[in-house]
Amino acid sequence: MDIKDVEDRVCVEKTLCGDKKAFEKLVKRYQASIFNIAYRMTGSREDAKDLTQETFLRAYSKLDSFHIARRFSPWLFRIASNLCINWQNRQKLHPVSLESLIEDKKEQSLLADISKEPFSHLEKIHVQKLLQQEILNLPAKYRLVFTLRYLDNHSCREIANILEMPEGTVKTYLFKACLLYTSPSPRDLSTSRM
């Protein structure tokens, strides 16, 4: 276990003893990562916020079932992953369009400095939109593994632990996701023949 795991364990133990501030530390440590996973899985900032909140509520309410000898982060990511999968099962599995990134306050602050390098900022926003659209086009099981690996920087072993699947399956899903990501769509093929 590394220092982060030890700190997590201390926070869990303190939370179980009634210290709510200790759980707040865990929320602060992991909320950005959980939100990122939820956003990449749903394509909606509002749904991602709801799923992030639900993840921490569920973790807090089930903390007494957490095995203290284990690492906290894979347990928390498993909760988030399961909630995202359940969300997807309730939705029509059609890709959803992204909300305009410019409407988001974070992107508005990014655009505030547009006078310095306008094309650089616009290009970054465009690339983020394209990436999100491509991720949303992946099948759900590949999307989750792809997000955990390439956007949240988890190792294949960590992903296998989080999703409770063999490491070989994780690698297969990543390989297939990359094939689908780099394969031209039928629309691309039809326009290239002209």
Side-chain angles (χ1 to χ4, degrees), residues 2-27:
D2 64 13
I3 188 113
K4 188 170 138 182
D5 294 325
V6 173
E7 290 172 355
D8 288 351
R9 180 181 286 178
V10 170
C11 287
V12 168
E13 288 172 343
K14 286 182 177 181
T15 302
L16 290 171
C17 291
D19 183 355
K20 292 181 182 176
K21 295 260 186 216
F23 193 76
E24 287 177 21
K25 289 180 184 177
L26 293 170
V27 171

Side-chain angles (χ1 to χ4, degrees), residues 19 31 38 40 85 123 149 154 156 173 181 183 189 192:
D19 183 355
Q31 71 185 16
R40 298 298 178 188
I85 290 167
E123 184 177 354
R149 177 69 184 111
H154 288 282
C156 289
Y173 283 9
Y181 181 73
S183 297
L189 293 174
S192 66

Side-chain angles (χ1 to χ4, degrees), residues 41-54:
M41 294 299 292
T42 65
S44 162
R45 291 189 185 282
E46 288 305 313
D47 289 328
K49 287 177 188 177
D50 291 345
L51 287 166
T52 301
Q53 183 177 15
E54 179 63 27

Side-chain angles (χ1 to χ4, degrees), residues 31 34-39 42 44-59 79-80 83-84 87 90-91 99:
Q31 71 185 16
I34 298 298
F35 176 84
N36 185 42
I37 290 168
Y39 178 66
T42 65
S44 162
R45 291 189 185 282
E46 288 305 313
D47 289 328
K49 287 177 188 177
D50 291 345
L51 287 166
T52 301
Q53 183 177 15
E54 179 63 27
T55 297
F56 287 106
L57 289 171
R58 182 89 42 102
I79 291 171
L83 287 171
C84 288
W87 179 89
R90 290 189 306 266
Q91 306 298 312
E99 299 167 335

